[in-house]
Amino acid sequence: MKKGRPLAFNYTSAENTSHDRWKERKRAENKQAQDENKAPGGMVNRNRAESARPLGGKLCSLILLLVVATTASWAQVMLPNHGSVPSGPASNLVLRLTLSEAINRAVRYNLGAIESDENTRAARGQRLLALSLLLPQVSAGINENVDQVNLTALGLGAVNIPGIPAVVGPFSYSTASASLSQNLFSYESIQRFRAARSCEQAAQLSYKDTLDVITLTVGNAYLQVIEASSRIEAEEAQVQNARALYDQAVSEFQAGTRPRIDVTRTEVQLHTEQYNLSIARNNFAVAKLALGRAIGLPLGQSFEIADQLPYADINPPTVEDALKMAYDSRSDFRSALDSAKSAEQALSAAKGERYPVVAVSGDYGDQGPTFGQSHGIFSFQAGISVPIFTGGRIKGDITQAEATLHKRKAEAENIRGQIDYDIRTAFLNLNAAREQVDVAHQNVGLANDNVARSKERFAAGITDSVEVVQSEQSLAGANDQYITSLYSHNLAKLALARALGIARDSFSQYLGGR
């Protein structure tokens, strides 16, 4: 084992958990049915047993469990921060991927980053739409008209005026004009614009927070690859030890100094370690696929990790200082505050619907049978519009805006509490992981010493293979604990950076790597 190789993350899938729970429930139901359906004298009442089976209930429960398991599986697949857009075709070269390169790729190709960036653009578009209601609207055009008018249809046909026919035309005329309209004062539009501007700022901060979350996601995936690689090394060493012990037992059995049972035990141990090695290799391949999926590597691209991220302790700030820093730097909290501010401005806009609106409009043009025989024309309007009765529309808008404001304020306070939880949890995990690394490192040394002594006793004929196999199993467990503790320590450091809101800019200071 190389000191400083962080790693793995063991978990139970939703499918396996649901299946295990279903089996336990099945065994309990069968036992209960047996107890209830036993008649006096030890006889089983089969008719009662058949009628007591809740077939429909069991079927509904099974379907529900399958739906929950499938939903959990799909939810894991559909998480945006775990998905990406593949970045072109794969090359034949093996890519050496550093942690910094992995995170930079994720910023460009991760689905969560792309969606959050597009949400920011959409918010910018909403701000521009709101701004357009405050700016002058200018248009210009040129028209060529050909008309024919039936005076009879207009009620003039019954009037006989000499020289005026019943049908006039066809006649033509040309018009070139420009028009301008402007709201001189609209409190509602002003507040709508301010709300859209605050919403855009919230979207930009949300994008920065998404990059922080993606840094944590990709960093965790990178650490899992390192962990899986370390487990392969540990299992390969265990296979070599088990093979050497097996070969020694076979040689001594053939020489007549060992019983057959020692050969069997050592062979079982060898097969067990080979089985564990196969699992470790598969987990390593799956971890690499998960990392490539999160950072948008080309489909089928071969790569290897370039950073090993050995054990390195840090000197974090105190919990109180960390909380102050997080409240100032966490983009999700600042985004929530801006969202609450936007909702407050939207409420002011809804109330502003009751205020009068002052607007002007006008146009000027040139009109005539031809542009050579044209004459200037113009019109100008100015007015004040005051809502008197709107049938409860304004009251409805105000009620909706108040509800939205209350929700946004509650969300901001919830994030404030989440920050406190994240900081304190990160410190607890960091301190626990540091202690676990120290203890696990000592256990590895003791387990290695125990294996060496057991092999010496076995070679001297003082003990049998049971003691050696048990000592090797203890060594495997100690190695597993050490690998897990290194992984947990690095993940705790990265989680602390995320809790502080500086993971995207400071991950290298907490984890190292190039």
Side-chain angles (χ1 to χ4, degrees), residues 272-298:
T272 300
E273 298 302 340
Q274 289 174 338
Y275 175 83
N276 292 336
L277 177 59
S278 176
I279 293 177
R281 286 173 175 168
N282 180 71
N283 291 340
F284 176 68
V286 172
K288 289 181 64 177
L289 288 176
L291 176 60
R293 184 78 181 90
I295 65 177
L297 282 180

Side-chain angles (χ1 to χ4, degrees), residues 8 14 26 29 33 37 83-84 90 132-133 158 167 170 203 230 267 274 279 302 316 356 399 430 460 462 480:
K26 185 73 173 178
E29 290 175 351
N37 295 321
S84 63
S132 68
L133 299 179
V167 177
S230 295
E267 186 175 10
Q274 289 174 338
I279 293 177
S302 299
T399 302
L430 181 61
I462 301 176
D480 184 77

Side-chain angles (χ1 to χ4, degrees), residues 177-197:
S177 63
S179 63
L180 180 146
S181 61
Q182 169 73 60
N183 285 336
L184 296 181
F185 175 78
S186 173
Y187 184 78
E188 177 192 358
S189 298
I190 294 173
Q191 292 301 104
R192 297 287 183 195
F193 167 71
R194 290 175 177 173
R197 183 175 57 189

Side-chain angles (χ1 to χ4, degrees), residues 285-337:
V286 172
K288 289 181 64 177
L289 288 176
L291 176 60
R293 184 78 181 90
I295 65 177
L297 282 180
L299 301 180
Q301 175 66 53
S302 299
F303 73 95
E304 59 184 21
I305 56 175
D307 294 333
Q308 297 304 320
L309 305 180
Y311 176 79
D313 205 357
I314 60 173
N315 294 318
T318 63
V319 175
E320 290 72 19
D321 292 340
L323 285 171
K324 293 178 182 178
M325 184 187 304
Y327 289 135
D328 292 336
S329 59
R330 278 280 288 260
S331 297
D332 54 345
F333 182 57
R334 295 163 58 197
S335 175
L337 293 178

Side-chain angles (χ1 to χ4, degrees), residues 406-486:
H406 294 160
K407 287 171 57 178
R408 296 296 175 262
K409 287 183 176 180
E411 290 169 355
E413 290 304 310
N414 174 66
I415 294 179
R416 184 192 300 273
Q418 185 65 42
I419 290 175
D420 183 89
Y421 172 84
D422 291 344
I423 291 294
R424 297 184 187 278
T425 301
F427 272 90
L428 290 173
N429 290 337
L430 181 61
N431 294 331
R434 186 186 297 114
E435 295 175 358
Q436 291 165 9
V437 170
D438 293 337
V439 174
H441 185 262
Q442 295 175 14
N443 283 343
V444 170
L446 294 173
N448 278 317
D449 184 65
N450 187 33
V451 169
R453 293 181 183 278
S454 297
K455 288 183 177 180
E456 291 175 358
R457 290 164 56 83
F458 180 75
I462 301 176
T463 185
D464 57 11
S465 59
V466 174
E467 180 180 328
V468 182
V469 169
Q470 290 177 345
S471 64
E472 288 188 346
Q473 290 175 347
S474 297
L475 176 60
N479 283 332
D480 184 77
Q481 290 178 351
Y482 183 64
I483 292 171
T484 301
S485 65
L486 289 175

